[in-house]
Amino acid sequence: MTTFDTTTDTTAHADTAKAYTLGANPGADRPTERLGVPTRGATNPGNGPATTPGSFANAANIGGPLTFSSPDTPNTPQPSPYTAWDFLPEGWTIEAVDSHAQGCGGHNQKQGAFIRCVAPQGFVPITQLESARLGIVTPQMKRVAEREGHLTPEQVRDEVAAGRCVIPANVTHLKYNLDPMAIGRATKTKINANMGASPVSSGTEEEVEKLKWAEKWGGDTVMDLSTGGDLDACREAILRNSTVPIGTVPIYSMIIGKRLEDLDEQTVLETLEHQAQQGVDYFTIHAGVRKKDLKYVKNRLIGIVSRGGSLLAKWMLTHNKDNLMYTMWDDICQLMRRHDVTFSIGDGMRPGGLADASDDAQLAELETIGELTERAWRHGVQVMVEGPGHVPLDQIEYNMKLQRRLCHGAPFYVLGPLVTDVFPGYDHITSCIGATNAAYHGASMLCYVTPKEHLGLPKKGDVKEGCIAYKIAAHAADVALGIPGTRDWDDELTKARAALNWERHFELAFDTDTARAYHDEDLDVDTDFCAMCGHDWCSVRISKEIQEFASGKAEGFDRGKPVKSDALTEEQQKILEQRGYLKPEEIHKLASKVKKDAKPGDDAGKASCHSDFVDADEAKEIQGEPLVQVDVRPAMGIAKEDRVV
């Protein structure tokens, strides 16, 4: 083994460093080439100029099983060779068509041809899956393509036909205010917000308010999980007021006011029919929990944490029968097809703690869910699959890609997963970490977790925090996967930040009010520095002053002269009040200031700029002076007539 004197042997260090590079081109001048940056053909998610080499994900491969996918860790389960095309209803056939023919159902990679289905004579499609198989582009598919931006209506159709994408759009809900959206790996990652009245908290009016709040903060779908109050009225109100798809867990309604032991097939079908007629877009049905697999729960630390899973497990043990949701599956499929209700096949055996993750109970259920997916597709019903739960970070990729294998690419909808169990009150963060990884490795929708998870029913503020945490996770994964255009928003904000254009910075922020309030809490003058570094230490300001750097000079982002910001809005005042760091009189001063009366040298009545050399007043006066352009060419050994590239 070679050892080095770290104080003198720099050449040896350099040689060793070269030997351990990834080695794309060890002799290259550019570090990105010399160190072998591992790009794999994914689209650069931004459309503007950038110095980043781009996404490290796989090439997009839209129309195939690796659509927007992460590279596989060795021994990771490989994609299924099957799609929904392999599980057609009886009497349906496939025909090859010209790629330009009207009604082409997309390119089937396994058969190497453009195909569409031929249904029995007189068949009328109801579900989005049936239309897609027949080569029909529905209005809902066109709307999805419009909202996604990077997909054509035909690509949306093809992904739906393959079973890799669902459009939850009950035919009744479409008559109200539903704005069609899609969940799938070819689309941007979606988030779901849970809500619902409980026997001890909330009611219909509050739940509708939380619905609108969830929509405001980015919820792509909402699940009504009410277990108390007037469930029927609450569900009806949510459906009438929502622009997003609504999901339910129907077993909750099936047992309200009844003994669980009395649950029977008639009750199941009547409840599903009623909710489908109301307009519910997707049902969570825990049909994968089988009597034969309950033995695997015995040694778990926390048993079954799914409400639906635990209820059905108790029903099975009481009656000594298999899960009636499983034995009724074909009848349930036929009912859901009539209304185009999408399956969200429930994960009744999901782990409730890290110690139970990826165990026999969870994986046995997932195998059954794969079978149920195939059977639902044969009925023409759209399918997505629910997943864990509580999963250590190192096991997330395996879980995502095992589902991709067993369920043939059906969209995966996961709860978190939480990557640690010891931070109650902060589980929106512990789960957001897992959710980001899950989305990068294949999950299509993330069910949010709020700070109240495990502790109580989320309130309005918890809904906001949960939604924002999960928008972060979804957006971060989309950028990492190289979905076209997803980084444009980030790049615009970076340009505003580089220009020290605070107003534009806040406009682009996902939560404008919080960003503005936090800034003004320290310094309510929009200067070319912030209160974190102060004037003298602001690296962004210094970079902007260096003549040969382009930093902060993007067209349209010039910040202009320093100005005192507008008075804080009522919402922004509430944010600072909840933080509790400013006295009421300080917040009142921020709320009563008038922008038009402010001048660059005015005293803003705020804390100093935190500079050791310039006090607040002097720093504000400096902002009116022109930038000092620093010519770095002599220091870099470049002739003055040449420019730095």
Side-chain angles (χ1 to χ4, degrees):
M1 176 177 170
T2 304
T3 58
F4 302 106
D5 179 350
T6 56
T7 60
T8 59
D9 202 346
T10 56
T11 303
H13 272 302
D15 290 342
T16 302
K18 286 183 180 180
Y20 283 93
T21 63
L22 294 176
N25 186 359
D29 290 332
R30 298 177 68 91
T32 50
E33 297 175 6
R34 185 170 65 251
L35 300 177
V37 175
T39 53
R40 296 173 179 268
T43 306
N44 189 323
N47 290 313
T51 59
T52 174
S55 171
F56 292 0
N58 293 326
N61 190 36
I62 296 176
L66 295 180
T67 298
F68 298 122
S69 61
S70 65
D72 290 341
T73 297
N75 300 318
T76 297
Q78 294 302 294
S80 171
Y82 304 106
T83 70
W85 287 106
D86 296 287
F87 304 99
L88 297 175
E90 186 176 349
W92 286 54
T93 59
I94 293 176
E95 67 176 4
V97 296
D98 183 88
S99 62
H100 300 292
Q102 185 177 5
C104 166
H107 186 260
N108 184 304
Q109 291 195 340
K110 186 172 65 173
Q111 295 186 1
F114 287 91
I115 60 173
R116 67 181 168 203
C117 282
V118 178
Q121 188 173 3
F123 178 83
V124 177
I126 297 176
T127 71
Q128 297 292 324
L129 176 57
E130 290 170 339
S131 293
R133 283 169 163 170
L134 296 172
I136 299 168
V137 174
T138 65
Q140 292 74 41
M141 296 172 193
K142 292 178 181 177
R143 176 58 181 150
V144 165
E146 187 178 277
R147 295 183 68 180
E148 293 292 330
H150 66 285
L151 297 172
T152 66
E154 290 73 23
Q155 287 175 317
V156 175
R157 174 201 61 196
D158 296 350
E159 289 297 294
V160 172
R164 289 189 295 263
C165 181
V166 296
I167 302 176
N170 184 310
V171 293
T172 298
H173 200 186
L174 284 171
K175 298 174 185 176
Y176 304 151
N177 299 310
L178 178 64
D179 189 3
M181 53 81 72
I183 302 164
R185 191 57 278 163
T187 70
K188 295 170 189 170
T189 305
K190 304 305 189 300
I191 72 164
N192 171 72
N194 286 340
M195 57 190 57
S198 81
V200 297
S201 180
S202 191
T204 297
E205 185 176 339
E206 186 175 346
E207 292 311 307
V208 171
E209 183 181 13
K210 283 196 285 188
L211 162 72
K212 305 313 291 185
W213 194 242
E215 290 180 342
K216 174 180 178 179
W217 293 111
D220 297 295
T221 76
V222 165
M223 289 203 76
D224 173 17
L225 305 182
S226 296
T227 55
D230 190 336
L231 271 63
D232 208 51
C234 186
R235 187 184 316 111
E236 184 74 27
I238 287 173
L239 285 162
R240 294 278 180 168
N241 285 278
S242 69
T243 60
V244 300
I246 301 298
T248 63
V249 185
I251 193 172
Y252 299 165
S253 297
M254 295 174 190
I255 62 171
I256 292 292
K258 307 181 185 73
R259 295 193 323 145
L260 172 64
E261 293 81 359
D262 295 335
L263 180 64
D264 57 20
E265 293 186 2
Q266 180 180 350
T267 302
V268 170
L269 293 177
E270 287 178 352
T271 303
L272 294 179
E273 181 67 33
H274 176 67
Q275 293 195 14
Q277 289 178 348
Q278 282 186 299
V280 174
D281 301 290
Y282 62 95
F283 288 154
T284 293
I285 308 287
H286 297 90
V289 181
R290 302 290 305 282
K291 181 173 175 289
K292 67 180 180 62
D293 298 327
L294 294 181
K295 60 181 179 288
Y296 298 129
V297 178
K298 180 179 179 181
N299 294 321
R300 276 187 161 186
L301 285 191
I302 197 170
I304 298 175
V305 298
S306 159
R307 286 191 293 206
S310 64
L311 290 167
L312 288 165
K314 183 178 179 182
W315 186 93
M316 286 185 272
L317 293 172
T318 299
H319 291 281
N320 194 26
K321 292 181 179 179
D322 204 353
N323 186 345
L324 80 169
M325 301 292 184
Y326 177 83
T327 57
M328 295 177 64
W329 190 252
D330 291 326
D331 292 333
I332 294 172
C333 288
Q334 291 167 14
L335 183 155
M336 291 174 66
R337 175 191 172 270
R338 292 196 295 270
H339 303 272
D340 196 8
V341 179
T342 299
F343 271 116
S344 184
I345 306 180
D347 53 340
M349 294 286 210
R350 67 176 179 268
L354 301 187
D356 297 336
S358 308
D359 69 350
D360 287 328
Q362 178 195 333
L363 300 188
E365 180 187 31
L366 187 59
E367 287 182 305
T368 299
I369 290 174
E371 172 207 331
L372 296 172
T373 298
E374 298 171 7
R375 290 169 60 186
W377 281 342
R378 290 196 187 280
H379 287 281
V381 181
Q382 300 184 90
V383 176
M384 59 181 170
V385 172
E386 294 185 15
H390 293 242
V391 180
L393 194 65
D394 59 298
Q395 297 180 25
I396 290 176
E397 180 184 5
Y398 172 81
N399 274 265
M400 300 306 105
K401 292 178 177 175
L402 180 64
Q403 186 273 348
R404 178 183 68 180
R405 174 77 181 189
L406 296 179
C407 302
H408 315 304
F412 207 14
Y413 163 32
V414 299
L415 178 67
L418 284 76
V419 294
T420 177
D421 298 329
V422 295
F423 291 90
Y426 300 91
D427 280 338
H428 60 309
I429 299 173
T430 62
S431 64
C432 173
I433 294 167
T436 306
N437 281 270
Y440 180 61
H441 290 304
S444 298
M445 186 160 76
L446 310 172
C447 183
Y448 85 166
V449 171
T450 77
K452 288 291 287 289
E453 187 75 16
H454 303 108
L455 304 173
L457 193 70
K459 300 296 188 289
K460 189 176 177 181
D462 301 311
V463 169
K464 175 183 175 181
E465 288 195 50
C467 283
I468 290 178
Y470 274 67
K471 291 302 285 188
I472 293 170
H475 181 65
D478 289 346
V479 172
L481 288 164
I483 297 180
T486 50
R487 206 192 64 226
D488 290 347
W489 179 17
D490 302 77
D491 292 350
E492 290 294 290
L493 195 143
T494 300
K495 292 173 187 175
R497 188 172 284 157
L500 293 158
N501 185 335
W502 293 104
E503 195 59 38
R504 186 80 174 114
H505 184 277
F506 300 139
E507 287 174 4
L508 288 163
F510 182 79
D511 183 357
T512 295
D513 287 334
T514 297
R516 167 54 80 184
Y518 281 16
H519 172 273
D520 281 18
E521 185 178 45
D522 289 327
L523 188 64
D524 68 338
V525 176
D526 288 350
T527 64
D528 67 350
F529 62 89
C530 72
M532 178 176 284
C533 299
H535 175 272
D536 298 340
W537 296 98
C538 180
S539 58
V540 176
R541 180 189 60 78
I542 295 167
S543 290
K544 188 178 173 185
E545 290 181 350
I546 297 175
Q547 181 176 338
E548 295 302 334
F549 285 8
S551 179
K553 305 178 181 68
E555 186 176 350
F557 285 85
D558 180 40
R559 59 174 301 279
K561 294 181 178 181
V563 294
K564 182 177 280 192
S565 59
D566 285 330
L568 293 186
T569 65
E570 184 176 344
E571 181 64 30
Q572 292 163 0
Q573 293 173 56
K574 288 180 181 177
I575 291 168
L576 294 186
E577 288 169 3
Q578 290 167 358
R579 276 172 66 76
Y581 298 134
L582 294 184
K583 297 176 182 178
E585 57 267 26
E586 292 175 309
I587 297 174
H588 176 73
K589 188 178 292 185
L590 289 171
S592 60
K593 67 183 188 290
V594 181
K595 181 176 179 179
K596 64 183 177 61
D597 294 334
K599 297 179 182 178
D602 283 351
D603 180 5
K606 298 300 300 297
S608 75
C609 66
H610 300 185
S611 168
D612 292 333
F613 304 106
V614 184
D615 67 21
D617 289 340
E618 290 179 292
K620 291 164 193 168
E621 291 175 4
I622 287 173
Q623 313 318 310
E625 300 177 2
L627 291 174
V628 177
Q629 296 296 320
V630 181
D631 191 345
V632 298
R633 288 174 291 184
M636 299 173 67
I638 300 172
K640 288 198 173 186
E641 58 271 16
D642 295 330
R643 289 188 60 81
V644 177
V645 179

